[in-house]
Amino acid sequence: MRGYGMHSVNNPGWLEKDRLTCGPLDAIVKPTIIAPCSSDTHTMHGGSGPKENLILGHEAVGYIEEVGADVKRFKAGDFVVVPCCTPNWLEPGIQNKVTFSHDSKPFGSFKFLGSKDGVMAECFHVNQADANLALLIDGVTPEAALMTVDMMSTGFYGVEMAEVGYGDTVVVFGIGPVGLMAIAGAALRGAGRIIAVGTRPAAIEVAKAYGASEIISYKDGDVVQQIMETTGGGVKKTIIAGGNAETFAQAITITKEKGNIANINFYDVTETLAFPALVWGLGMADKTIRGGFCPGGAERITQMMDVIKYRGFDAEKIITHRFEGFNTMEEAFHLMDKKAPDLIKPIVYMNI
Ligand code: NDP
Ligand code: ZN
């Protein structure tokens, strides 16, 4: 089986692997469309620690090739939407609702990049198919469904963690595909003013279409000062979907007392998150800081598709580049890595 991934840190390339085996509860899926993600490029660069001989990719829709003997909801030939997080639902942590989507250890549900090969391959393995795979809903295109599996689920989770409500003024740091989905989610939840931080022209256009009222450039002077000035002293709802450790400190600074800071951004293993005690009211400002990982499983992804179908949400707006053919995964992956100014999200039709 052939796939695209990493031989070792900073050494991407094509890999040849043995044919997969399907457990009794599992499925083998042949991808029809995949989307490279920032998390794939971070992983290739060693951002989550050393890894080798790993097929990358965790965003896919496709056809089931094979199901295990105990799978009840699916059969070979079904078209499925595959959440990027596929928890082991037999874990006690999930049954106790302690770790909703992450098995019993951090990132435990992120199996594609964490504990096995990913989806950028001729086929890939999905654990517990009945609980983790979703059928495409009528009225939702495969491209839109592909945007639910990580981008929508993650961006919307930022909005949930920040507890955005009617009329709130919200700041979203980052207008990549994740930040854009956070903007859209905030708007769907009834936010009032949405201030987005970023610079890529293509993304600015979509940010406005999704509901951003203003765009602030972090390259154009002090971000904190710009936000403080335009809001008259900060906001109560802040979502971090881009930037670095400095952004984390800025987010805490611009969030008012009793406000919520929700982080969905990925920090490199080498980074330290720190901020001056004063911006946290010397520890007593009653600001809530939460960081969370993309919820997975069939039900979550079906809910995201319902937002597309019944709310008319246009999830495809973030797709800027469409590639055709298995071998174009390499080009799409490198485009994602370079972050061209006109790029938001590339997708690849596998044609296999
Ligand atoms: P992108 O790289 O496409 O977008 C990042 C955005 O952050 C861009 O708009 C960029 O600006 C902006 N940015 C960069 N530096 C700064 C800065 N110093 N201050 C403010 N904004 C800045 O990333 P994605 O949208 O694909 O992903 C965003 C993050 O979410 C990544 O870290 C990714 O790994 C993570 N992620 C997390 C998941 C989770 O479950 N929590 C799941 C999936 C992804 P510009 O417009 O200038 O490029
Ligand atoms: Zn992703």
Side-chain angles (χ1 to χ4, degrees):
M1 182 186 82
R2 199 161 161 254
Y4 191 78
M6 57 191 286
H7 299 291
S8 57
V9 170
N10 289 325
N11 184 13
W14 293 97
L15 299 165
E16 195 63 47
K17 296 270 182 144
D18 290 340
R19 172 88 203 164
L20 297 163
T21 51
C22 186
L25 297 171
D26 307 339
I28 304 296
V29 177
K30 182 183 199 165
T32 54
I33 326 176
I34 63 103
C37 173
S38 306
S39 305
D40 296 312
T41 60
H42 282 312
T43 302
M44 185 272 285
H45 288 302
S48 51
K51 295 205 160 122
E52 54 186 36
N53 193 29
L54 179 73
I55 293 176
L56 293 166
H58 54 275
E59 300 181 16
V61 295
Y63 286 97
I64 293 191
E65 267 197 359
E66 184 184 344
V67 289
D70 296 333
V71 172
K72 302 207 167 26
R73 292 177 57 225
F74 299 99
K75 57 182 185 323
D78 285 345
F79 187 82
V80 287
V81 186
V82 188
C84 73
C85 286
T86 54
N88 172 1
W89 296 95
L90 301 174
E91 286 279 351
I94 291 178
Q95 290 165 19
N96 293 332
K97 297 192 168 55
V98 177
T99 51
F100 163 64
S101 60
H102 303 134
D103 290 11
S104 51
K105 63 180 196 315
F107 300 108
S109 68
F110 198 35
K111 301 193 186 314
F112 290 125
L113 262 50
S115 54
K116 67 180 180 188
D117 283 317
V119 305
M120 285 164 57
E122 284 165 342
C123 58
F124 60 89
H125 171 268
V126 177
N127 59 298
Q128 295 176 357
D130 281 334
N132 280 323
L133 290 175
L135 287 168
L136 187 68
I137 288 181
D138 262 359
V140 176
T141 65
E143 287 192 2
L146 181 60
M147 295 301 110
T148 67
V149 303
D150 184 0
M151 299 299 94
M152 250 179 105
S153 184
T154 300
F156 281 30
Y157 193 47
V159 176
E160 290 158 55
M161 286 192 295
E163 297 177 7
V164 173
Y166 305 119
D168 279 341
T169 298
V170 183
V171 166
V172 179
F173 283 91
I175 53 171
V178 174
L180 290 171
M181 287 304 182
I183 292 167
L188 283 162
R189 274 209 161 187
R193 186 176 177 192
I194 302 175
I195 300 163
V197 183
T199 68
R200 268 184 273 157
I204 288 176
E205 207 176 294
V206 179
K208 289 181 178 161
Y210 275 174
S213 1
E214 293 150 73
I215 311 289
I216 283 180
S217 166
Y218 62 95
K219 294 179 182 167
D220 199 11
D222 186 330
V223 179
V224 168
Q225 195 183 339
Q226 291 185 69
I227 296 172
M228 290 304 207
E229 269 172 26
T230 189
T231 57
V235 301
K236 280 199 140 165
K237 306 291 161 74
T238 303
I239 301 167
I240 313 171
N244 48 34
E246 197 188 347
T247 316
F248 182 76
Q250 290 165 344
I252 294 167
T253 310
I254 59 104
T255 306
K256 286 180 178 168
E257 260 182 57
K258 287 207 172 283
N260 299 335
I261 301 111
N263 182 80
I264 41 177
N265 192 41
F266 172 102
Y267 300 96
D268 196 275
V269 275
T270 58
E271 283 179 290
T272 298
L273 300 180
F275 50 86
L278 193 58
V279 305
W280 206 29
L282 304 175
M284 284 160 265
D286 226 339
K287 300 185 190 184
T288 302
I289 304 169
R290 287 187 66 183
F293 193 49
C294 177
E299 191 60 23
R300 171 75 173 181
I301 290 319
T302 304
Q303 287 166 353
M304 297 295 113
M305 285 193 278
D306 278 349
V307 174
I308 293 170
K309 174 169 178 162
Y310 295 106
R311 250 350 85 215
F313 173 59
D314 184 359
E316 292 168 45
K317 240 189 210 326
I318 64 170
I319 302 171
T320 49
H321 293 68
R322 290 171 173 83
F323 291 84
E324 289 279 344
F326 190 81
N327 287 333
T328 63
M329 278 197 293
E330 183 165 23
E331 193 183 342
F333 181 81
H334 286 287
L335 188 73
M336 195 66 191
D337 192 25
K338 285 200 309 276
K339 297 273 151 74
D342 62 342
L343 176 87
I344 303 179
K345 191 81 179 167
I347 65 170
V348 179
Y349 279 85
M350 302 288 262
N351 300 345
I352 46 175

